[in-house]
Amino acid sequence: MFNKERSERGAVTVFLIIIFAFVFAFVSVFIDYSRMSSLQAQSEQITHAAVRSVLSAYDPVLLEQYGLFAYGETDENYIMSKVMKDQASLLQRSDDLSILKSKVDSSTITLERPLGMYPVFSQQVREQMKYKAPINFTIEIMNKFKPMSKVMKEASNTVDLLGMLQKLYDERERKLDQLLHHQRTSSLAVKELFPWILHRGASSIQDQSLGGSISTAGDAAAQFNDYKAKSDEDSQRLPLERVYDAEIFRYEAGTTQVFNHITRGQQTDAQKHSSLLPEAVQLVEEARQINDQMKQVIQNSENRSADDGYNRVGSDAQDETAGSGEIRKIREQTHKLLLPDDLLNQLKENIVRQQADFDSFSSRVNELVSKESMLLSTTSGNSAPVKSAVIAASRAGDAYMLKYCDSGSLLDQEDKQLQSYRSYDAARKKAESESKSKLEEAGNILKQLAALKDKMDSNQQQFNTLESYYKAILQLNTKSSDSTENNHLKDSSPYSSGKQSMEQMDGLYGSMSSLLSGITDNCLQTEYAADYFKHFDVTRLKEAVKGNKGALDELGEQLSPQHQEIEYILYGFHNPGGNLAAAYGEIFSARLAVRTMEGFIKKSSAGNPLLILALALLYGIEHAIMDMVTLCEKGSIPLSDYFKVELSYRDYLRIFMLLHGQSDSRLSRMLAVIRLNTGINPADRKTYISSEVTMAMPLWFLPGVAKALNVAGASEGRVEGNRYYAVKKADFSY
């Protein structure tokens, strides 16, 4: 018989078993899921620790000498695998109840981004210098130049203005001299013609007998009546009995010769006047245009964009720096260089009047020439019209020469009037000549330094090696080499040198003003080079700058790349003397700018703006030469007579590096020097690590369910068989 109570008990048991099975499966899945999550965390911890450990094997030489981090020569795979094993072992030992049973399945590591790449190197320089570079440069450089900003702005503006005016002034004066020369050349042609017409000062023509010389048309007219009488008398005689043949022949030949000279002279005069005087009129107009350009230059002189840098740097300086007012007053005198329009109009009127006076004279000469036949005809000849024509031509010519040829003539008055505006030119030209001579003297040391490349063979070999390293860095970064810098004494013109030196100062203050808005990579790289690279001991040049021959030849190893690293980084010449010559020239240019500013102040009473400029440049060149001697003796020099702060040779190199701006070539030269000094190729030393680590553990429950969860995105990693794999990537850089 069926037992109903016993049947119900069995149903409950099965139901509980089914419920327990589902609960157990559910819990088992969460146990494995927890283990997978733990493996993910463990894998990430181990991976990061291993990668950081690999990065700890940086090259100590690069760090100690240049503050740079790059991976050393240890096998990165060895460090990676060892650290991972040690970490995994440590985790297992520290786990009282090991439920993961994980193992490292595989690991890969890749080194990337060599130190020789520009972005990598720049970033490390940035990190190294971002705190101290702004402070050092501001305290040691910018604060020294800040008080001088206003007076240097005035000096730069004045050199710029007067330099442009000087060129325009000289061009205008050349045109005025040329037009005056055209007028004189035309008038001299009349002066050469006039003696063939009548002796100067004669107001009448008296009859004369044949036999006298015939040197003028007046002589021919004076002897005509006697010529006619004797010709008539001889005509009554047989040819062999004639007694006046010789005298008659001389008269006719002389008369013909005189009129030939008058005809040719008149044609020459007409040609010169018709060609030269219109050119003179054109020259007046060109001079007027130049004069108008000078007015415009003066008007625009106070609106220079270069002044912005000075204004920003000196914004919190005192209102009026000593000397700036005196220099500003020099620019206010530039109106003295302009010619009044009335004078130019008068010059043009004089040219037109000269042409009219010549036309009047020329018509009288033409009338005289037309009467030549009257003096050679014994039948219809008549001397009276000829005498009248000679007197008329003589009076017209005499009036012309009195106005344009004689002493005190209109042209002399023009010349005197023009010279009154040039009263300072002689002194200016003398100062210019002395300045040019002094510049050539200053350039001698540059020539000697440049010539060293043919003498220092051992040093040149090192520079050749350095050049190969430099090109290798360029090739690594797929860049082409740029041109090296030029020295600043190439042009022997004092005006060009002065303008160039002031443009250098404009650039410096412009660069410093940009730093006020925020520190730049240019400043960071400048200060990095100054801190970590060596500069030349400039006191080694003290004998050479004093003119002692052979002093440079004794420098020897002092001209090796290792003794002029900053100069090489700055200029990039691959020879023993090129970089030193460039540094010397650029320092001279900087000193010329400062000393020219002082020259403006000390020569401001000279009277004429262009003379003041010439004297200021002469003062600047002379004192810049003395400054270079002082610098090579002491290694430093006061900034100015008016600003007593010291600037060292190294400070000037820092200034020029900031002024030249950052460039890929400069980075290449830094890296080339690092390789030369350490033997470490930056292209081979990596700074970035990319790694991938795979760890595995066995699954305890339901691998299929765990795999399904993984496929559904519920967990990271992957499931293969009854094992779970966690994959972690880590990227680190110095």
Side-chain angles (χ1 to χ4, degrees):
M1 182 175 178
F2 177 75
N3 190 337
K4 183 176 179 181
E5 182 179 352
R6 184 176 180 183
S7 174
E8 289 177 352
R9 291 177 181 174
V12 171
T13 302
V14 172
F15 178 72
L16 289 175
I17 292 173
I18 294 173
I19 293 175
F20 178 78
F22 276 106
V23 171
F24 179 78
F26 184 76
V27 172
S28 299
V29 169
F30 272 96
I31 291 174
D32 271 354
Y33 186 77
S34 299
R35 294 176 67 235
M36 287 188 287
S37 298
S38 298
L39 182 63
Q40 290 285 343
Q42 186 183 83
S43 300
E44 185 169 1
Q45 178 183 356
I46 292 176
T47 302
H48 283 241
V51 171
R52 287 194 297 268
S53 297
V54 173
L55 286 179
S56 67
Y58 54 80
D59 193 302
V61 176
L62 290 175
L63 178 62
E64 293 171 4
Q65 294 189 25
Y66 298 102
L68 301 174
F69 285 91
Y71 190 74
E73 297 179 313
T74 308
D75 184 0
E76 65 275 11
N77 291 301
Y78 168 76
I79 298 177
M80 185 76 172
S81 60
K82 185 176 188 305
V83 171
M84 291 186 64
K85 289 178 181 179
D86 292 345
Q87 284 289 322
S89 176
L90 177 62
L91 289 173
Q92 290 178 1
R93 291 197 305 270
S94 61
D95 192 355
D96 295 334
L97 179 61
S98 179
I99 62 173
L100 294 182
K101 303 297 183 181
S102 61
K103 292 183 179 180
V104 177
D105 183 75
S106 65
S107 65
T108 60
I109 185 168
T110 304
L111 295 178
E112 300 174 352
R113 302 181 188 178
L115 181 62
M117 298 296 294
Y118 298 144
V120 175
F121 182 56
S122 298
Q123 177 61 28
Q124 293 216 20
V125 170
R126 192 178 300 118
E127 292 297 321
Q128 183 70 16
M129 304 301 299
K130 63 183 178 182
Y131 296 116
K132 60 181 178 179
I135 298 173
N136 291 347
F137 191 86
T138 300
I139 294 175
E140 299 174 13
I141 302 295
M142 188 181 296
N143 285 348
K144 294 179 180 179
F145 278 86
K146 182 179 293 187
M148 195 173 66
S149 60
K150 293 186 181 299
V151 68
M152 279 307 307
K153 179 184 74 172
E154 298 296 340
S156 177
N157 198 349
T158 304
V159 169
D160 187 30
L161 171 61
L162 295 183
M164 290 188 287
L165 291 179
Q166 179 266 330
K167 291 181 179 179
L168 293 171
Y169 175 90
D170 286 346
E171 181 63 21
R172 186 192 68 189
E173 299 309 301
R174 278 194 294 269
K175 291 187 180 298
L176 294 176
D177 286 341
Q178 193 174 358
L179 75 87
L180 190 59
H181 178 265
H182 284 0
Q183 287 184 274
R184 289 196 184 280
T185 301
S186 299
S187 66
L188 289 176
V190 173
K191 189 175 184 179
E192 293 174 359
L193 169 62
F194 187 87
W196 294 101
I197 298 174
L198 187 66
H199 295 295
R200 188 88 186 269
S203 58
S204 62
I205 302 175
Q206 303 297 325
D207 287 341
Q208 298 177 4
S209 300
L210 285 180
S213 63
I214 298 178
S215 58
T216 67
D219 293 337
Q223 297 180 30
F224 174 75
N225 289 334
D226 191 39
Y227 159 73
K228 181 177 180 182
K230 289 180 178 178
S231 295
D232 290 342
E233 185 179 341
D234 264 5
S235 66
Q236 305 298 323
R237 299 186 179 97
L238 294 174
L240 295 178
E241 296 176 352
R242 294 173 181 173
V243 296
Y244 300 116
D245 279 352
E247 294 177 349
I248 291 171
F249 175 78
R250 284 197 298 271
Y251 173 83
E252 292 177 345
T255 299
T256 301
Q257 182 183 26
V258 166
F259 275 87
N260 285 341
H261 277 292
I262 292 174
T263 301
R264 289 195 299 269
Q266 192 274 341
Q267 292 174 349
T268 300
D269 285 2
Q271 182 181 9
K272 287 185 177 180
H273 280 75
S274 63
S275 62
L276 294 179
L277 293 186
E279 288 183 14
V281 171
Q282 180 62 32
L283 287 168
V284 171
E285 294 305 320
E286 291 175 3
R288 190 192 306 276
Q289 291 175 5
I290 295 174
N291 204 57
D292 291 340
Q293 289 180 38
M294 293 172 68
K295 292 178 183 177
Q296 191 63 40
V297 167
I298 294 172
Q299 183 177 346
N300 297 337
S301 62
E302 302 303 322
N303 299 317
R304 293 197 320 153
S305 60
D307 291 348
D308 295 341
Y310 294 99
N311 293 335
R312 291 193 64 191
V313 172
S315 59
D316 57 348
Q318 56 186 357
D319 293 336
E320 188 70 21
T321 306
S324 57
E326 288 88 339
I327 299 177
R328 192 182 309 112
K329 290 178 181 178
I330 296 173
R331 294 201 304 279
E332 295 172 357
Q333 302 177 44
T334 50
H335 66 277
K336 297 179 180 179
L337 303 175
L338 301 174
L339 292 178
D341 290 335
D342 291 344
L343 174 61
L344 296 172
N345 292 335
Q346 186 62 47
L347 291 175
K348 185 175 181 179
E349 291 176 7
N350 291 346
I351 297 170
V352 174
R353 188 185 308 168
Q354 183 178 0
Q355 181 65 56
D357 290 342
F358 173 76
D359 290 342
S360 176
F361 169 68
S362 181
S363 65
R364 299 291 186 273
V365 174
N366 285 333
E367 184 179 351
L368 171 61
V369 171
S370 67
K371 293 178 170 50
E372 177 185 3
S373 60
M374 291 184 178
L375 298 180
L376 297 175
S377 174
T378 57
T379 56
S380 59
N382 187 349
S383 65
V386 179
K387 290 179 180 178
S388 177
V390 170
I391 293 300
S394 175
R395 287 175 179 173
D398 190 67
Y400 182 95
M401 289 193 296
L402 184 64
K403 190 178 292 186
Y404 302 105
C405 300
D406 293 346
S407 177
S409 66
L410 184 65
L411 300 186
D412 286 346
Q413 294 175 21
E414 281 185 7
D415 189 22
K416 185 177 180 181
Q417 197 169 9
L418 291 176
Q419 292 303 327
S420 67
Y421 288 92
R422 305 173 180 174
S423 56
Y424 295 94
D425 280 9
R428 176 170 68 92
K429 297 295 182 183
K430 180 181 178 182
E432 289 174 0
S433 178
E434 293 179 11
S435 296
K436 188 172 182 179
S437 176
K438 291 292 184 180
L439 273 179
E440 293 174 353
E441 176 186 333
N444 289 334
I445 184 65
L446 296 183
K447 295 177 182 178
Q448 296 177 45
L449 288 169
L452 290 175
K453 63 182 179 181
D454 299 323
K455 299 179 181 179
M456 304 290 179
D457 292 338
S458 59
N459 290 329
Q460 185 59 55
Q461 292 176 5
Q462 295 184 65
F463 273 103
N464 293 340
T465 302
L466 189 60
E467 184 176 17
S468 68
Y469 294 163
Y470 165 72
K471 291 180 177 179
I473 294 296
L474 289 175
Q475 186 175 6
L476 174 68
N477 290 273
T478 63
K479 298 283 185 178
S480 59
S481 175
D482 59 358
S483 59
T484 52
E485 303 286 343
N486 292 320
N487 69 66
H488 286 245
L489 287 179
K490 187 175 183 180
D491 194 335
S492 60
S493 165
Y495 293 108
S496 297
S497 298
K499 180 177 176 60
Q500 188 181 55
S501 68
M502 288 300 176
E503 287 175 348
Q504 179 191 50
M505 200 60 64
D506 292 345
L508 172 60
Y509 276 93
S511 298
M512 288 192 295
S513 71
S514 67
L515 296 181
L516 298 176
S517 302
I519 199 66
T520 63
D521 280 348
N522 183 23
C523 179
L524 297 175
Q525 292 172 14
T526 293
E527 292 303 287
Y528 177 79
D531 281 359
Y532 287 97
F533 295 93
K534 298 178 182 177
H535 62 80
F536 182 73
D537 182 3
V538 72
T539 60
R540 299 278 183 175
L541 297 178
K542 60 183 178 182
E543 296 300 325
V545 297
K546 292 179 181 179
N548 295 340
K549 295 182 178 179
L552 292 178
D553 297 335
E554 299 176 359
L555 292 178
E557 290 302 317
Q558 294 299 318
L559 295 176
S560 66
Q562 291 84 354
H563 288 88
Q564 50 174 303
E565 293 172 354
I566 298 181
E567 290 85 349
Y568 166 72
I569 292 169
L570 177 56
Y571 300 106
F573 289 103
H574 292 97
N575 62 72
N579 301 299
L580 297 182
Y584 183 95
E586 199 161 11
I587 294 174
F588 180 88
S589 182
R591 297 308 306 165
L592 175 59
V594 174
R595 291 300 196 174
T596 300
M597 174 271 292
E598 297 175 1
F600 276 128
I601 299 172
K602 296 181 179 181
K603 305 296 181 180
S604 59
S605 61
N608 179 273
L610 294 185
L611 176 59
I612 295 173
L613 173 62
L615 293 174
L617 288 172
L618 177 59
Y619 175 93
I621 293 169
E622 290 175 338
H623 285 76
I625 292 174
M626 291 188 287
D627 287 346
M628 297 308 295
V629 175
T630 303
L631 180 66
C632 293
E633 288 178 341
K634 297 172 51 182
S636 64
I637 193 169
L639 177 58
S640 167
D641 285 350
Y642 300 105
F643 303 94
K644 299 292 187 178
V645 291
E646 288 286 322
L647 279 180
S648 66
Y649 174 73
R650 175 176 173 269
D651 291 336
Y652 278 107
L653 296 180
R654 294 162 70 187
I655 290 170
F656 300 146
M657 291 191 75
L658 180 73
L659 181 60
H660 290 198
Q662 66 187 78
S663 68
D664 291 341
S665 292
R666 186 167 77 177
L667 294 177
S668 296
R669 292 193 286 269
M670 288 187 191
L671 291 166
V673 173
I674 291 173
R675 181 177 178 182
L676 182 70
N677 290 339
T678 63
I680 299 172
N681 186 357
D684 296 337
R685 296 304 174 87
K686 308 301 192 297
T687 62
Y688 184 92
I689 292 181
S690 178
S691 66
E692 181 177 290
V693 175
T694 302
M695 296 190 69
M697 73 172 184
L699 291 172
W700 288 350
F701 309 101
L702 304 176
V705 176
K707 185 175 183 180
L709 288 173
N710 179 252
V711 172
S715 66
E716 300 177 356
R718 69 180 188 274
V719 177
E720 295 180 3
N722 65 342
R723 296 181 68 82
Y724 174 75
Y725 296 88
V727 181
K728 289 296 179 181
K729 294 183 179 180
D731 295 79
F732 280 88
S733 65
Y734 289 112

